[in-house]
Amino acid sequence: MDAIAPEFDKFVARHHAYVDETSAGLDGLIATLRAARDQLAGTDQDAGAKKAALAMLSLDVKGQTSKIMDTTKDISSALAKCGKAIDKKFGTADLEWNPQAFEGKDHLIRQLIGEHFIREGKFELASTFQKESGLSAAPAKNSQFQELNDIIESIRHHDLGPAIEWAESKRFELNRIDSTLQFDLHKQRYLQLLADAGPRSPGLMAAIEYARKYFSQFPACIREIQPLMLAAIYAGQPTAPATYRTLLARATSPTAWSNLERQFARDFCSLLGLSPDAPLYTAITVGTTALPIIMKMSTIMKEKRNEWTASNELPVEVPLAPRHQFHSVFACPVSREQGTDLNPPMMLPCGHTICNESLKRISKNGSIRFKCPYCPQDTTMAQALRVYL
């Protein structure tokens, strides 16, 4: 991914400039044409003068159109370089895949795409997609995601008012899931006030009054509150100790704001019984993380002329971020094998757990009583219960 990221970064930067330049160019072109129309319609110029005016207009339009076309060529070139970077990185790959993997699952894919549009706040696009795909709309869910996107947009602009108001209205629900969102929002707002304040300024007193009003609601966070209050002593002072400089820098830290966005989205979706990330985003992120490793493995195995025949299992580990690890993995303490749907973990009456194949082997397919491999309790295969992870 490191080989591809620079080209995509260039494309994104060029795209933003392209949108601004093209919009300005088109607006200018439209204004020129309207002004020429009004001028020609409102005067009694002779045919020669009108012809000369139209000739000048033609030159002006060609010049502005040429600038717009040049901008379009730049963005097309940047996009083409992205494609070349992908071809260079993945073009020689010849991975085998099962074309029936998505057979009969078209409705699930459409549902994922539709939900992704909703989560991204593209409600008009989502509505059109739902109609064309034959999906049923969910106005209530759309409204909830509209609220989420509006608040996230406010946080991105460092406006915490809507988020704090929402967290206050959901105080009891957030407490039930042991969320620290409400405290973290007030903490960030307090640091904002400190960042705008100088020593002995009215702004400093406003920050302290804010802390007194809201931090008293969170006695369990006293260890975090103490350094926050001490940070007020060093507000606006460049010679502050490193600990407090780091703390005060959180008010403008992009990482701190990004983490706050993610925390808000996670807790908002948790109250709805949903994952914080759209499933489509998660699937693509995990896929792009795993693909280079799988490709490298495939290349090595072809060079050594080896084949991997185990189903539902890879010969290499694919490292994923903790937020993308959704299912626990059980390794049987007897056989050291990983549990699967065909060989699930089974819990014995004593509480110890082994895989089903180990259970069959020890009990001789349920024909005898046996002792748990880890304690002296006798049991039978019929007494074991399947564990679902």
Side-chain angles (χ1 to χ4, degrees):
M1 292 302 130
D2 292 339
I4 300 173
E7 294 298 338
F8 272 91
D9 291 340
K10 292 177 185 177
F11 170 73
V12 170
R14 193 70 198 92
H15 178 265
H16 291 311
Y18 165 75
V19 171
D20 294 338
E21 293 172 14
T22 303
S23 297
L26 289 173
D27 290 342
L29 181 59
I30 293 171
T32 299
L33 292 171
R34 286 177 175 171
R37 179 195 63 187
D38 295 340
Q39 181 182 0
L40 293 172
T43 60
D44 296 329
Q45 295 177 342
D46 57 28
K50 287 186 177 181
K51 186 175 181 180
L54 288 173
M56 291 296 296
L57 175 63
S58 176
L59 291 174
D60 194 5
V61 169
K62 285 180 180 179
Q64 294 188 51
T65 304
S66 177
K67 290 181 181 179
I68 295 173
M69 293 301 295
D70 289 341
T71 306
T72 303
K73 288 178 183 177
D74 289 344
I75 193 68
S76 298
S77 175
L79 183 59
K81 289 180 180 178
C82 291
K84 290 178 181 178
I86 293 174
D87 291 339
K88 184 177 180 180
K89 182 70 177 177
F90 301 115
T92 58
D94 185 21
L95 291 176
E96 295 182 2
W97 69 290
N98 181 7
Q100 282 78 42
F102 296 103
E103 187 175 351
K105 299 177 182 177
D106 291 350
H107 66 290
L108 294 177
I109 297 174
R110 289 195 294 268
Q111 186 176 335
L112 286 177
I113 296 172
E115 183 177 329
H116 182 78
F117 289 148
I118 293 172
R119 284 187 176 229
E120 291 296 313
K122 304 182 186 302
F123 300 103
E124 185 176 349
L125 179 60
S127 177
T128 302
F129 181 81
Q130 287 171 339
K131 291 178 181 177
E132 293 181 353
S133 302
L135 299 174
S136 58
K141 184 177 287 188
N142 289 7
S143 174
Q144 290 166 332
F145 280 119
Q146 175 72 68
E147 181 183 19
L148 170 61
N149 280 278
D150 289 345
I151 296 176
I152 289 294
E153 191 64 27
S154 297
I155 295 176
R156 285 175 183 162
H157 289 85
H158 296 188
D159 177 12
L160 294 174
I164 291 174
E165 183 179 350
W166 180 88
E168 179 65 30
S169 68
K170 304 292 183 181
R171 170 194 291 267
F172 298 107
E173 292 90 338
L174 291 171
N175 286 339
R176 281 203 298 268
I177 62 173
D178 295 324
S179 170
T180 61
L181 176 64
Q182 193 175 12
F183 172 72
D184 291 334
L185 289 169
H186 283 303
K187 178 173 70 175
Q188 190 69 6
R189 178 58 185 150
Y190 167 71
L191 291 173
Q192 268 188 305
L193 294 172
L194 284 185
D196 295 336
R200 299 181 181 178
S201 69
L204 179 60
M205 292 308 300
I208 293 174
E209 287 300 321
Y210 184 90
R212 287 174 177 169
K213 180 178 180 181
Y214 292 106
F215 285 173
S216 59
Q217 302 174 15
F218 308 99
C221 301
I222 188 62
R223 291 186 178 275
E224 287 190 69
I225 293 172
Q226 288 172 343
L228 287 170
M229 298 306 296
L230 287 173
I233 300 174
Y234 302 101
Q237 297 185 19
T239 58
T243 300
Y244 296 104
R245 281 204 311 271
T246 302
L247 193 58
L248 291 168
R250 283 179 54 91
T252 56
S253 167
T255 301
W257 285 98
S258 178
N259 290 340
L260 198 60
E261 282 181 36
R262 182 164 193 82
Q263 182 183 5
F264 184 88
R266 183 188 65 235
D267 289 353
F268 187 102
C269 291
S270 292
L271 296 188
L272 295 178
L274 301 170
S275 63
D277 292 324
L280 183 61
Y281 168 82
T282 300
I284 292 176
T285 302
V286 171
T288 53
T289 301
L291 187 58
I293 299 172
I294 296 174
M295 289 177 58
K296 185 176 181 179
M297 176 202 72
S298 176
T299 302
I300 293 174
M301 292 179 68
K302 285 182 179 179
E303 290 175 354
K304 295 185 177 182
R305 298 183 179 180
N306 292 333
E307 292 186 3
W308 184 254
T309 57
S311 61
N312 301 321
E313 193 173 328
L314 289 173
V316 292
E317 181 179 359
V318 178
L320 297 176
R323 70 175 186 272
H324 293 144
Q325 298 175 12
F326 299 103
H327 302 287
S328 300
V329 176
F330 174 77
C332 178
V334 176
S335 65
R336 308 298 181 187
E337 295 178 348
Q338 181 176 315
T340 65
D341 288 339
L342 299 177
N343 185 25
M346 306 292 292
M347 186 173 67
L348 305 177
C350 57
H352 292 114
T353 306
I354 61 177
C355 273
N356 191 49
E357 292 298 326
S358 299
L359 176 62
K360 289 180 180 179
R361 188 165 56 252
I362 295 173
S363 67
K364 296 184 178 179
N365 279 327
S367 61
I368 62 171
R369 293 181 65 86
F370 63 94
K371 285 186 178 181
C372 169
Y374 288 90
C375 73
Q377 183 170 334
D378 283 345
T379 186
T380 64
M381 183 175 176
Q383 292 177 296
L385 298 175
R386 177 172 177 174
V387 177
Y388 292 89
L389 299 177

